[in-house]
Amino acid sequence: MKKILISMAIALVAINFQSCSLHDDTDLFGQSAAEQVEESVKADKTLLESATNGWIFRYYTGENYTGGGYTFLCKFKDGKVVVSGDVAEASATARSSYDIVKDRGPVLTFNTYNEIFHSLGTPTQTSVDGGQGDYEFIIVKTTNDSIYLKGKKWGNNMVTTRMPENESWENYLKEVSKVDTTMLYNNKVMVGNDSVAYASVDYEGRRLTMETATGDVETPYYVTPEGIHLQTPINVNGQKIENLKFNAQTNELVDEKAQAVKLAGFIPQGYKPIKFWEGKWQLVYATSGNENPDYAYYNMTLEAYNAGNLLSTIKVDGVKYNIWFTYNRRNGSLSLGSHYIADPTDQYFGLVFYGVSFQGKTGYFNNKGHLIANWNDSENRAYFKWDGLGDYALNSFVLLAINSSYQPEYDDKGEYISFAQLSYLSGMQRPQNNN
């Protein structure tokens, strides 16, 4: 790979705070600061409600832009707001209340729950902050066609712009979705005819990562009907890329102001999309650790949970277990490793699906390793291969009971309470019959 200088373009932009909303603490025309804020609140509310087809809200999640970029369409009227967005179906809308309140300056607040707008900040079982999405915004600056905002909690700068009068919300979001779902995850960074770096376009996290000889460069992006916009521009050999238009025919992303640079999407050899892995499978295993064993299988169904995970249903000894597979978006393979799952019998707090290396009659735990499944077209099946992590070659898993402290449960003899074991896993194949 040719050496090249790639870095984040850091722009220190001096924001002009003088605007039609009078967001200035200077005592103008004898007004007190409180009176100025009051006037700003009124002017900002009038501006928001003047957009008869609403606003395009470019929204970033995660403290210091550690999340992704998203698009909401918002129409404000009489204290109510109607919202659509690329986090929901293109035809979906949600209605709630909004207000502009006085703080140190005007603050736009979505003050009642909106199932679309609040979806990125709603707490989950795994995170009290959800996706770290704001719903209150300091109004920094306004023009007739743009409102510049800063998330009150997470501090990200955002902007809303007027939606063109004759633009259909649903069609706009459909075009955004088309770009989002058509772009390829894997991209070669090309300067002329030279491949100088690798870039991943992570449609799940809405982040672009460029891998270079000197380190990784990463930034969130939001999707437009034409392509993607990077929150922070990236310099590639002196060329700044920021607004990248997507060509679905060539699978390329190009900034019109830096046409010498392009991100050329490609599909790696043997790559399988996540949809390929969905459906019915047979999880193949050897009946012993002998050199020439017999083989059998468990029936299994896989369903994509999100862009990076699939949930399997496997029946072992008459009990159905839900076990997670990780999907590698870079090479299209599956990964199976140790993790916690629910106890389908409800006898214990939960279970741990724990990696084991069986060697003869002896077993060694390995909770660091994974079995990687790559599809073999010529043999019409996937073979498992240990990824090399951990001290012992992973080939099996056991299902052990755990307590609320995520520690093993023991029986009266002081031994682990084991529900089942999946020994000597070999690979995966499609059902050979109607079983």
Side-chain angles (χ1 to χ4, degrees):
M1 180 178 289
K2 183 179 177 181
K3 288 186 178 180
I4 193 164
L5 177 62
I6 301 177
S7 63
M8 300 298 278
I10 302 174
L12 300 178
V13 180
I15 297 176
N16 178 6
F17 285 91
Q18 294 180 355
S19 70
C20 62
S21 291
L22 298 177
H23 300 154
D24 197 326
D25 290 333
T26 306
D27 186 1
L28 299 176
F29 310 111
Q31 287 184 315
S32 67
E35 290 172 329
Q36 290 176 46
V37 172
E38 184 68 37
E39 289 297 318
S40 294
V41 166
K42 292 178 181 178
D44 291 345
K45 187 171 290 188
T46 298
L47 177 62
L48 271 180
E49 298 196 358
S50 70
T52 56
N53 199 29
W55 299 84
I56 304 172
F57 195 142
R58 306 302 191 187
Y59 183 99
Y60 291 105
T61 63
E63 188 172 14
N64 295 323
Y65 305 101
T66 52
Y70 302 88
T71 297
F72 292 108
L73 306 181
C74 305
K75 184 176 179 179
F76 302 87
K77 192 68 176 177
D78 299 328
K80 302 294 183 182
V81 59
V82 176
V83 179
S84 287
D86 61 1
V87 297
E89 294 294 326
S91 60
T93 60
R95 181 181 173 88
S96 59
S97 297
Y98 89 95
D99 202 357
I100 296 179
V101 298
K102 292 177 288 185
D103 198 335
R104 294 182 179 179
V107 172
L108 170 63
T109 175
F110 292 72
N111 55 0
T112 61
Y113 182 73
N114 186 293
E115 62 181 353
I116 293 178
F117 193 84
H118 286 87
S119 62
L120 296 172
T122 301
T124 66
Q125 289 183 338
T126 57
S127 174
V128 67
D129 295 320
Q132 292 189 344
D134 271 299
Y135 59 89
E136 292 186 316
F137 308 89
I138 300 166
I139 300 177
V140 177
K141 174 185 174 182
T142 64
T143 69
N144 187 55
D145 296 316
S146 300
I147 302 175
Y148 297 86
L149 306 166
K150 183 174 183 177
K152 190 173 180 182
K153 183 172 184 179
W154 301 112
N156 296 330
N157 292 311
M158 311 179 201
V159 64
T160 68
T161 56
R162 281 183 188 267
M163 184 69 151
E165 288 295 330
N166 298 321
E167 183 81 57
S168 162
W169 281 24
E170 184 173 350
N171 289 343
Y172 184 93
L173 291 173
K174 282 182 177 179
E175 290 301 310
V176 167
S177 177
K178 187 185 298 183
V179 171
D180 190 37
T181 56
T182 306
M183 288 185 302
L184 297 179
Y185 182 87
N186 295 287
N187 292 265
K188 296 178 182 179
V189 182
M190 306 293 296
V191 176
N193 295 322
D194 294 325
S195 175
V196 299
Y198 166 84
S200 62
V201 179
D202 180 0
Y203 51 85
E204 175 77 2
R206 300 285 178 86
R207 298 186 69 81
L208 185 146
T209 302
M210 196 171 290
E211 299 176 7
T212 77
T214 57
D216 293 354
V217 177
E218 186 174 356
T219 183
Y221 67 83
Y222 61 75
V223 185
T224 74
E226 293 80 33
I228 63 175
H229 175 88
L230 307 184
Q231 187 273 325
T232 302
I234 298 177
N235 281 331
V236 181
N237 232 25
Q239 300 263 344
K240 184 175 74 173
I241 60 172
E242 181 177 19
N243 292 299
L244 299 165
K245 287 193 173 182
F246 178 63
N247 185 324
Q249 301 300 316
T250 61
N251 287 314
E252 292 177 345
L253 287 159
V254 179
D255 190 321
E256 291 184 342
K257 296 181 180 179
Q259 295 192 25
V261 180
K262 64 183 178 183
L263 274 59
F266 70 96
I267 299 175
Q269 185 176 2
Y271 181 93
K272 296 297 179 185
I274 194 169
K275 287 291 184 183
F276 169 84
W277 296 104
E278 289 192 303
K280 294 182 178 180
W281 290 90
Q282 293 173 343
L283 185 63
V284 182
Y285 64 95
T287 56
S288 72
N290 297 334
E291 186 175 345
N292 296 303
D294 293 327
Y295 289 91
Y297 59 82
Y298 304 105
N299 285 315
M300 176 176 71
T301 302
L302 281 174
E303 181 179 356
Y305 177 77
N306 55 30
N309 296 280
L310 298 101
L311 184 61
S312 72
T313 302
I314 304 174
K315 192 172 185 179
V316 182
D317 300 329
V319 180
K320 289 184 178 180
Y321 299 95
N322 291 130
I323 295 170
W324 291 95
F325 284 76
T326 300
Y327 176 68
N328 187 318
R329 285 170 284 174
R330 184 160 181 168
N331 60 31
S333 65
L334 294 186
S335 173
L336 184 61
S338 301
H339 59 279
Y340 299 107
I341 67 169
D343 174 10
T345 69
D346 291 326
Q347 297 179 71
Y348 298 95
F349 174 79
L351 306 178
V352 61
F353 185 70
Y354 210 83
V356 178
S357 173
F358 281 120
Q359 300 176 19
K361 296 182 179 180
T362 306
Y364 302 92
F365 285 130
N366 179 355
N367 68 338
K368 297 180 180 178
H370 302 82
L371 293 180
I372 308 299
N374 286 292
W375 184 252
N376 187 311
D377 281 317
S378 62
E379 298 189 32
N380 202 33
R381 63 171 293 173
Y383 289 97
F384 285 132
K385 183 179 180 180
W386 174 47
D387 64 0
L389 297 176
D391 294 331
Y392 302 96
L394 183 65
N395 57 22
S396 308
F397 290 89
V398 293
L399 286 155
L400 305 176
I402 57 171
N403 58 31
S404 59
S405 297
Y406 293 88
Q407 298 300 309
E409 292 274 14
Y410 297 92
D411 61 18
D412 294 337
K413 298 179 181 179
E415 297 179 350
Y416 295 121
I417 297 176
S418 176
F419 272 56
Q421 64 183 43
L422 283 66
S423 304
Y424 305 111
L425 295 178
S426 169
M428 297 166 54
Q429 63 187 22
R430 290 295 187 183
Q432 306 299 302
N433 50 44
N434 294 324
N435 288 346

